[in-house]
Amino acid sequence: MTARGPSHHHNLLDRLPQWLTRWIGYRSTPPPPLPEYLVWFWSFVGAFGGIAILQAVFGHAPYFMRKAIPPIIASYGASAVLIYGAIEAPLAQPRALIGGHFVGALIGTCVTKLFHLLPTEEQFQELSWLAGSLACAIAVVVMQVTGTTHPPAGATALIAAVKPEVRHMGWYYLPVVLLSSALSLGFALLVNNIQRQYPIYWFTPPTSKQQPQPPHPVVAGHKAALGGRGDDTTASTRVNSRERLPEKVDVFSSPPPEKLSAQSPV
């Protein structure tokens, strides 16, 4: 079976209309860099709109209000800095955003459930600092192993253990986090691709092949003057010069007896 690399996917995207592929971050040629004031403008629009959408959905939808879901998971405020203000950073790409928050929510909920096995709520409150620390630390390592490191997701794991309104959600915390990540990513695809490009990649960063460097002009000219025999000529020159070197003479040693008899007067 022939392996399909990134170039195969690019060929498929080339066949789709440009007005469609631009909204998923694909460009045949990268867009020109924007002035700083436009970057600031789109960062403001993205962060404002993204946070507003999350609060509108979870804070005003009757379904989530009946389940007493918090209007927003606080860690998404930190995610807004990355996915709207630092869109080219590896930590801001979709794999890190979706995977990192899900890992944080999963680890945080699992650790909290384990600590809830304690006999009383008072004992849990006394050890809540340990539950939060373990949840955050384990989530960091799991994100490193899975390649989904997203710094705000550490807070997603932490607040699952230390925030009562989040802790009482239980396993329902996971779909809320997934929906929050999906809404944030959807708005980022919209606002970041008007004049910028996002994402840079979806799953794995693109690999660029290193081009061989041309030879130094002085070295190349020297080899050309020697008829392409630069290395051989240099090596033979070293051998010949080594053969013509005189033997080392120890000035501190006495001459052999034959030379002494030849030099002594008769």
Side-chain angles (χ1 to χ4, degrees), residues 8-224:
H8 174 77
H9 298 292
H10 285 178
N11 293 335
L12 292 178
L13 292 174
D14 286 333
R15 301 173 185 174
L16 298 176
Q18 185 178 2
W19 62 265
L20 177 62
T21 57
R22 70 170 290 129
W23 301 111
I24 59 174
Y26 177 73
R27 305 284 197 284
S28 56
T29 56
L34 294 180
E36 285 189 344
Y37 68 90
L38 283 179
V39 175
W40 300 337
F41 171 77
W42 288 117
S43 298
F44 173 84
V45 172
F48 178 84
I51 298 300
I53 289 174
L54 293 179
Q55 293 185 97
V57 171
F58 294 103
H60 298 281
Y63 175 79
F64 295 112
M65 294 178 66
R66 287 195 302 268
K67 289 186 173 293
I69 302 300
I72 191 171
I73 305 300
S75 55
Y76 283 91
S79 291
V81 178
L82 289 172
I83 64 175
Y84 304 118
I87 63 175
E88 296 180 356
L91 304 176
Q93 304 310 307
R95 175 174 177 170
L97 173 68
I98 303 291
H101 276 298
F102 181 76
V103 166
L106 179 62
I107 298 299
T109 303
C110 290
V111 172
T112 303
K113 290 291 185 181
L114 288 176
F115 275 81
H116 267 151
L117 297 177
L118 293 171
T120 62
E121 179 68 18
E122 289 75 14
Q123 290 179 334
F124 176 84
Q125 293 296 335
E126 292 176 357
L127 294 176
S128 61
W129 65 270
L130 181 59
S133 302
L134 279 175
C136 183
I138 296 174
V140 169
V141 175
V142 175
M143 283 188 287
Q144 289 175 329
V145 172
T146 57
T148 57
T149 299
H150 187 65
T156 303
L158 176 63
I159 62 180
V162 300
K163 286 288 186 181
E165 62 272 17
V166 175
R167 191 170 69 244
H168 295 324
M169 292 170 59
W171 295 111
Y172 199 71
Y173 185 45
L174 272 67
V176 169
V177 165
L178 280 175
L179 180 57
S180 299
S181 299
L183 291 173
S184 299
L185 177 60
F187 189 71
L189 292 174
L190 175 64
V191 73
N192 290 340
N193 284 305
I194 296 176
Q195 285 188 302
R196 299 184 290 177
Q197 180 181 0
Y198 177 83
I200 304 302
Y201 60 88
W202 279 85
F203 300 104
T204 56
T207 56
S208 58
K209 297 182 179 180
Q210 295 184 354
Q211 299 293 336
Q213 296 183 355
H216 194 276
V218 176
V219 177
H222 176 65
K223 289 184 177 181

Side-chain angles (χ1 to χ4, degrees), residues 206-241:
T207 56
S208 58
K209 297 182 179 180
Q210 295 184 354
Q211 299 293 336
Q213 296 183 355
H216 194 276
V218 176
V219 177
H222 176 65
K223 289 184 177 181
L226 295 175
R229 296 179 291 104
D231 297 338
D232 299 337
T233 307
T234 305
S236 61
T237 304
R238 291 175 181 172
V239 174
N240 295 334
S241 61

